[in-house]
Each structure stands twice: as C-alpha cells, then as structure tokens.
Amino acid sequence: EDQVTQSPEALRLQEGESSSLNCSYTVSGLRGLFWYRQDPGKGPEFLFTLYSAGEEKEKERLKATLTKKESFLHITAPKPEDSATYLCAVPRGAGYALNFGKGTSLLVTP
Amino acid sequence: NAGVTQTPKFRVLKTGQSMTLLCAQDMNHEYMYWYRQDPGMGLRLIHYSVGEGTTAKGEVPDGYNVSRLKKQNFLLGLESAAPSQTSVYFCASEAVGNTAKNIQYFGAGTRLSVL
C-alpha cells in the first residue's frame, strides 16, 4: 500500500533560521507528490505539486524538491507567519483522493 | 469567494443520535471528498464522489453514509453516532483535468464531539 511518512513531527525555529521538512514515500508509480499547508482551525491549502525526480517548485520562502524516494520542503529565513502544519500527500491507488502524511507542525518564533 | 463551505462548524451529539454534515462548493467541481482528521492519524478518506449521483467508499467508511444529489452538494450522514466518531471532518472538492488533477480545495471543517 502506498505510504507517506513525514519528519520531524514538530519543528521549532527562530525567525530567520532556515531548515527543511522531509516527506518520504513508497508508491508504485508516482503520479504526483503534493504539499499542503494547514493553519490551526482551518482546512489544508494547496501549495505545490511535483511529478518527477529533480523537479523544484518555489513560493516565497518555500521551495519543494523531489527525489525518487522523498521530497523536501525547504524554508528559507522563515517568519512567524510561516507557522503552520505542512502536509504531504500522494494520490490513492484508484487515482481519486489523496493519502496524506501525518504532517510536520512548524512553529517560528520571533 | 466562497469556495467550499461546510455546515455546521461545531456540533455536540449524544451517542446514538444522528446528524448530517453539509458540504457545498461553488466552483463547479466534479469530484468531492469527505475526510476525517484525528490527532496522530492524519487525514483519512471516508467517502468520495466523482460526479452527481455517484459515491464510493474510502479508507474508513463504516458508520457513515453519503449522498450527492446535486453536483454542488455532498452530504455526510451519521445514522447512530458513536464516541469513536469524535473528530474534525473536512470536505474537499477537485476539478477534472490534467492540470487540476488531485489539487483539492478544502472547507474549514466541522468539529464534532460525540458524548
């Protein structure tokens, strides 16, 4: 069965302290690796889709990269407003819906 | 921009009571989903629909029923609520097409407690 594992479960950074979140996956034929952001009390919000190893996507201070076994979400010089839970996901076997990881809870302190 | 709207936002039920959660989307999306989110478990798919009048089971369908009578609405029913159904429920919708594949738009969630 397709699986998605995220690490660390929680990460605390000082403002400006860059770091990376990891998403490792085991799927038979990757049809996309998705990153979502979830703020407390809200639903997940789409960030990126990556389809092939070596692909990169950027949005403000976030950059997502993909290898054959894992994806990284790099956060450069984070700000407190980047605090959220970051979820990665892969399509379910039938192609509908997503299998989500349990997420990384990021807290950026001033 | 309404997007995906879930009703109600909060609800407390007693064991054995029934209720219906409503999801409405105004983006003309074909696909709609119901997930539940529990601490330490992540998001899990309950049921989904790929079009008006069609529904299918997801990962954790037991104890739930769904209906998609209109394209814009997807209802999740609990016939006899159990404490194990205490959770946050999220509805999502998705457009058809390669560029939109698997990009889902979520509602704000319904927080349900079953006592």
Side-chain angles (χ1 to χ4, degrees):
Chain A
E1 181 178 315
D2 297 345
Q3 290 199 3
V4 178
T5 303
Q6 293 189 244
S7 62
E9 289 185 12
L11 180 63
R12 182 176 179 136
L13 300 173
Q14 291 272 6
E15 185 172 2
E17 179 186 3
S18 301
S19 187
S20 297
L21 313 182
N22 177 265
C23 172
S24 63
Y25 61 90
T26 54
V27 299
S28 54
L30 184 66
R31 291 165 291 145
L33 186 293
F34 296 76
W35 283 98
Y36 283 77
R37 168 186 171 135
Q38 185 174 21
D39 292 303
K42 296 187 177 181
E45 181 180 355
F46 171 75
L47 290 173
F48 305 109
T49 309
L50 302 166
Y51 287 103
S52 57
E55 187 175 359
E56 297 182 353
K57 293 274 181 74
E58 286 189 66
K59 181 179 181 179
E60 296 181 353
R61 295 173 293 282
L62 301 177
K63 183 170 76 173
T65 62
L66 184 67
T67 71
K68 289 185 178 180
K69 293 184 179 180
E70 56 193 348
S71 177
F72 294 94
L73 186 64
H74 306 278
I75 305 175
T76 302
K79 297 182 177 182
E81 52 262 42
D82 295 321
S83 297
T85 296
Y86 292 86
L87 304 168
C88 74
V90 296
R92 290 173 58 85
Y96 304 112
L98 294 167
N99 273 339
F100 284 87
K102 295 179 182 179
T104 293
S105 177
L106 173 66
L107 176 64
V108 182
T109 57
Chain B
N1 293 348
V4 179
T5 303
Q6 292 185 233
T7 309
K9 290 182 169 52
F10 303 93
R11 186 71 185 268
V12 178
L13 289 179
K14 294 182 179 179
T15 298
Q17 286 185 318
S18 63
M19 76 164 294
T20 300
L21 283 67
L22 172 63
C23 177
Q25 54 97 359
D26 61 2
M27 296 173 283
N28 201 35
H29 286 171
E30 286 293 332
Y31 304 159
M32 295 187 74
Y33 308 93
W34 277 106
Y35 293 89
R36 60 179 287 174
Q37 188 173 41
D38 303 290
M41 299 294 292
L43 282 156
R44 292 181 292 168
L45 181 68
I46 305 172
H47 286 280
Y48 65 96
S49 168
V50 299
E52 182 178 316
T54 70
T55 63
K57 294 180 180 179
E59 180 184 358
V60 287
D62 294 342
Y64 306 96
N65 56 76
V66 289
S67 64
R68 183 111 180 261
L69 299 179
K70 293 184 179 180
K71 185 177 182 179
Q72 64 267 33
N73 295 336
F74 195 26
L75 277 62
L76 178 70
L78 287 72
E79 290 186 348
S80 179
S84 61
Q85 295 177 304
T86 294
S87 188
V88 182
Y89 292 86
F90 287 101
C91 175
S93 70
E94 176 186 332
V96 175
N98 286 337
T99 58
K101 187 66 175 170
N102 293 127
I103 296 175
Q104 297 178 11
Y105 296 83
F106 284 80
T110 295
R111 284 144 188 82
L112 175 66
S113 291
V114 182
L115 305 178

mmCIF file of all heavy atoms in Angstrom, chain B residues 56-77:
data_model
loop_
_atom_site.group_PDB
_atom_site.id
_atom_site.type_symbol
_atom_site.label_atom_id
_atom_site.label_comp_id
_atom_site.label_asym_id
_atom_site.label_seq_id
_atom_site.Cartn_x
_atom_site.Cartn_y
_atom_site.Cartn_z
ATOM 1 N N ALA B 56 -18.580 6.551 -3.555
ATOM 2 C CA ALA B 56 -17.740 5.374 -3.365
ATOM 3 C C ALA B 56 -17.118 5.421 -1.976
ATOM 4 O O ALA B 56 -16.977 6.500 -1.384
ATOM 5 C CB ALA B 56 -16.648 5.312 -4.428
ATOM 6 N N LYS B 57 -16.756 4.233 -1.467
ATOM 7 C CA LYS B 57 -16.170 4.148 -0.141
ATOM 8 C C LYS B 57 -14.689 4.478 -0.175
ATOM 9 O O LYS B 57 -13.985 4.153 -1.128
ATOM 10 C CB LYS B 57 -16.359 2.732 0.423
ATOM 11 C CG LYS B 57 -17.807 2.369 0.685
ATOM 12 C CD LYS B 57 -17.912 0.959 1.239
ATOM 13 C CE LYS B 57 -19.369 0.598 1.513
ATOM 14 N NZ LYS B 57 -19.502 -0.786 2.043
ATOM 15 N N GLY B 58 -14.243 5.107 0.911
ATOM 16 C CA GLY B 58 -12.833 5.380 1.066
ATOM 17 C C GLY B 58 -12.199 4.421 2.056
ATOM 18 O O GLY B 58 -12.568 3.249 2.141
ATOM 19 N N GLU B 59 -11.280 4.948 2.833
ATOM 20 C CA GLU B 59 -10.494 4.130 3.756
ATOM 21 C C GLU B 59 -11.266 3.739 5.021
ATOM 22 O O GLU B 59 -11.118 2.635 5.545
ATOM 23 C CB GLU B 59 -9.231 4.917 4.141
ATOM 24 C CG GLU B 59 -8.284 4.243 5.092
ATOM 25 C CD GLU B 59 -7.124 5.161 5.476
ATOM 26 O OE1 GLU B 59 -7.050 6.303 4.968
ATOM 27 O OE2 GLU B 59 -6.297 4.739 6.301
ATOM 28 N N VAL B 60 -12.088 4.666 5.528
ATOM 29 C CA VAL B 60 -12.794 4.439 6.797
ATOM 30 C C VAL B 60 -14.289 4.744 6.658
ATOM 31 O O VAL B 60 -14.820 5.657 7.282
ATOM 32 C CB VAL B 60 -12.170 5.283 7.939
ATOM 33 C CG1 VAL B 60 -10.826 4.731 8.366
ATOM 34 C CG2 VAL B 60 -12.044 6.749 7.524
ATOM 35 N N PRO B 61 -15.055 3.969 5.866
ATOM 36 C CA PRO B 61 -16.449 4.306 5.575
ATOM 37 C C PRO B 61 -17.473 3.839 6.614
ATOM 38 O O PRO B 61 -18.619 4.317 6.596
ATOM 39 C CB PRO B 61 -16.687 3.569 4.266
ATOM 40 C CG PRO B 61 -15.817 2.347 4.375
ATOM 41 C CD PRO B 61 -14.584 2.806 5.117
ATOM 42 N N ASP B 62 -17.091 2.925 7.501
ATOM 43 C CA ASP B 62 -18.074 2.321 8.396
ATOM 44 C C ASP B 62 -18.693 3.357 9.337
ATOM 45 O O ASP B 62 -18.005 4.132 9.976
ATOM 46 C CB ASP B 62 -17.432 1.197 9.215
ATOM 47 C CG ASP B 62 -17.006 0.034 8.338
ATOM 48 O OD1 ASP B 62 -17.499 -0.052 7.195
ATOM 49 O OD2 ASP B 62 -16.185 -0.784 8.789
ATOM 50 N N GLY B 63 -20.036 3.307 9.432
ATOM 51 C CA GLY B 63 -20.755 4.221 10.309
ATOM 52 C C GLY B 63 -21.179 5.510 9.635
ATOM 53 O O GLY B 63 -21.814 6.360 10.263
ATOM 54 N N TYR B 64 -20.829 5.663 8.365
ATOM 55 C CA TYR B 64 -21.149 6.875 7.610
ATOM 56 C C TYR B 64 -21.889 6.532 6.320
ATOM 57 O O TYR B 64 -21.653 5.481 5.722
ATOM 58 C CB TYR B 64 -19.879 7.642 7.231
ATOM 59 C CG TYR B 64 -18.974 7.986 8.368
ATOM 60 C CD1 TYR B 64 -17.887 7.177 8.682
ATOM 61 C CD2 TYR B 64 -19.177 9.137 9.129
ATOM 62 C CE1 TYR B 64 -17.026 7.491 9.722
ATOM 63 C CE2 TYR B 64 -18.320 9.462 10.176
ATOM 64 C CZ TYR B 64 -17.253 8.634 10.462
ATOM 65 O OH TYR B 64 -16.406 8.951 11.494
ATOM 66 N N ASN B 65 -22.771 7.445 5.898
ATOM 67 C CA ASN B 65 -23.356 7.344 4.572
ATOM 68 C C ASN B 65 -23.258 8.694 3.909
ATOM 69 O O ASN B 65 -23.122 9.729 4.580
ATOM 70 C CB ASN B 65 -24.812 6.866 4.645
ATOM 71 C CG ASN B 65 -25.673 7.757 5.517
ATOM 72 O OD1 ASN B 65 -26.062 8.847 5.111
ATOM 73 N ND2 ASN B 65 -25.965 7.309 6.722
ATOM 74 N N VAL B 66 -23.303 8.708 2.582
ATOM 75 C CA VAL B 66 -23.161 9.949 1.834
ATOM 76 C C VAL B 66 -24.180 9.993 0.704
ATOM 77 O O VAL B 66 -24.717 8.974 0.279
ATOM 78 C CB VAL B 66 -21.743 10.115 1.234
ATOM 79 C CG1 VAL B 66 -20.714 10.404 2.317
ATOM 80 C CG2 VAL B 66 -21.353 8.894 0.417
ATOM 81 N N SER B 67 -24.430 11.206 0.243
ATOM 82 C CA SER B 67 -25.273 11.381 -0.934
ATOM 83 C C SER B 67 -24.804 12.595 -1.723
ATOM 84 O O SER B 67 -24.348 13.588 -1.143
ATOM 85 C CB SER B 67 -26.737 11.523 -0.548
ATOM 86 O OG SER B 67 -26.947 12.699 0.215
ATOM 87 N N ARG B 68 -24.944 12.504 -3.043
ATOM 88 C CA ARG B 68 -24.554 13.600 -3.950
ATOM 89 C C ARG B 68 -25.693 13.763 -4.958
ATOM 90 O O ARG B 68 -25.601 13.369 -6.106
ATOM 91 C CB ARG B 68 -23.245 13.280 -4.658
ATOM 92 C CG ARG B 68 -22.765 14.418 -5.550
ATOM 93 C CD ARG B 68 -21.526 15.071 -5.002
ATOM 94 N NE ARG B 68 -21.064 16.148 -5.845
ATOM 95 C CZ ARG B 68 -20.068 16.030 -6.728
ATOM 96 N NH1 ARG B 68 -19.445 14.859 -6.887
ATOM 97 N NH2 ARG B 68 -19.702 17.070 -7.426
ATOM 98 N N LEU B 69 -26.786 14.340 -4.496
ATOM 99 C CA LEU B 69 -27.955 14.525 -5.346
ATOM 100 C C LEU B 69 -27.780 15.704 -6.289
ATOM 101 O O LEU B 69 -28.346 15.725 -7.385
ATOM 102 C CB LEU B 69 -29.199 14.700 -4.479
ATOM 103 C CG LEU B 69 -29.543 13.522 -3.568
ATOM 104 C CD1 LEU B 69 -30.779 13.816 -2.743
ATOM 105 C CD2 LEU B 69 -29.719 12.244 -4.382
ATOM 106 N N LYS B 70 -27.019 16.694 -5.863
ATOM 107 C CA LYS B 70 -26.717 17.842 -6.702
ATOM 108 C C LYS B 70 -25.206 17.964 -6.822
ATOM 109 O O LYS B 70 -24.479 17.665 -5.873
ATOM 110 C CB LYS B 70 -27.295 19.127 -6.110
ATOM 111 C CG LYS B 70 -28.795 19.198 -6.091
ATOM 112 C CD LYS B 70 -29.253 20.553 -5.564
ATOM 113 C CE LYS B 70 -30.766 20.657 -5.568
ATOM 114 N NZ LYS B 70 -31.227 21.979 -5.053
ATOM 115 N N LYS B 71 -24.734 18.410 -7.948
ATOM 116 C CA LYS B 71 -23.296 18.494 -8.198
ATOM 117 C C LYS B 71 -22.581 19.327 -7.139
ATOM 118 O O LYS B 71 -21.464 19.004 -6.742
ATOM 119 C CB LYS B 71 -23.048 19.095 -9.574
ATOM 120 C CG LYS B 71 -21.595 19.132 -9.997
ATOM 121 C CD LYS B 71 -21.461 19.680 -11.406
ATOM 122 C CE LYS B 71 -20.011 19.677 -11.862
ATOM 123 N NZ LYS B 71 -19.885 20.197 -13.253
ATOM 124 N N GLN B 72 -23.216 20.387 -6.676
ATOM 125 C CA GLN B 72 -22.527 21.293 -5.776
ATOM 126 C C GLN B 72 -22.560 20.859 -4.318
ATOM 127 O O GLN B 72 -21.881 21.458 -3.492
ATOM 128 C CB GLN B 72 -23.114 22.705 -5.906
ATOM 129 C CG GLN B 72 -24.574 22.833 -5.494
ATOM 130 C CD GLN B 72 -25.517 22.655 -6.675
ATOM 131 O OE1 GLN B 72 -25.224 21.895 -7.598
ATOM 132 N NE2 GLN B 72 -26.638 23.346 -6.627
ATOM 133 N N ASN B 73 -23.357 19.833 -3.994
ATOM 134 C CA ASN B 73 -23.510 19.447 -2.587
ATOM 135 C C ASN B 73 -23.088 18.002 -2.349
ATOM 136 O O ASN B 73 -23.392 17.112 -3.157
ATOM 137 C CB ASN B 73 -24.969 19.603 -2.140
ATOM 138 C CG ASN B 73 -25.434 21.051 -2.154
ATOM 139 O OD1 ASN B 73 -24.630 21.965 -2.070
ATOM 140 N ND2 ASN B 73 -26.731 21.244 -2.264
ATOM 141 N N PHE B 74 -22.456 17.770 -1.212
ATOM 142 C CA PHE B 74 -22.052 16.419 -0.818
ATOM 143 C C PHE B 74 -22.366 16.295 0.668
ATOM 144 O O PHE B 74 -21.806 17.028 1.486
ATOM 145 C CB PHE B 74 -20.565 16.229 -1.091
ATOM 146 C CG PHE B 74 -20.082 14.803 -1.064
ATOM 147 C CD1 PHE B 74 -20.930 13.739 -1.347
ATOM 148 C CD2 PHE B 74 -18.757 14.515 -0.782
ATOM 149 C CE1 PHE B 74 -20.474 12.434 -1.346
ATOM 150 C CE2 PHE B 74 -18.285 13.204 -0.780
ATOM 151 C CZ PHE B 74 -19.148 12.163 -1.064
ATOM 152 N N LEU B 75 -23.278 15.386 1.010
ATOM 153 C CA LEU B 75 -23.747 15.260 2.388
ATOM 154 C C LEU B 75 -23.126 14.031 3.044
ATOM 155 O O LEU B 75 -23.036 12.955 2.430
ATOM 156 C CB LEU B 75 -25.269 15.120 2.417
ATOM 157 C CG LEU B 75 -26.103 16.403 2.336
ATOM 158 C CD1 LEU B 75 -25.865 17.130 1.022
ATOM 159 C CD2 LEU B 75 -27.574 16.105 2.518
ATOM 160 N N LEU B 76 -22.733 14.193 4.278
ATOM 161 C CA LEU B 76 -22.198 13.090 5.077
ATOM 162 C C LEU B 76 -23.137 12.847 6.247
ATOM 163 O O LEU B 76 -23.394 13.762 7.032
ATOM 164 C CB LEU B 76 -20.806 13.418 5.604
ATOM 165 C CG LEU B 76 -20.152 12.359 6.500
ATOM 166 C CD1 LEU B 76 -19.768 11.125 5.669
ATOM 167 C CD2 LEU B 76 -18.904 12.920 7.189
ATOM 168 N N GLY B 77 -23.660 11.618 6.366
ATOM 169 C CA GLY B 77 -24.595 11.293 7.421
ATOM 170 C C GLY B 77 -24.019 10.318 8.438
ATOM 171 O O GLY B 77 -23.264 9.410 8.086
#
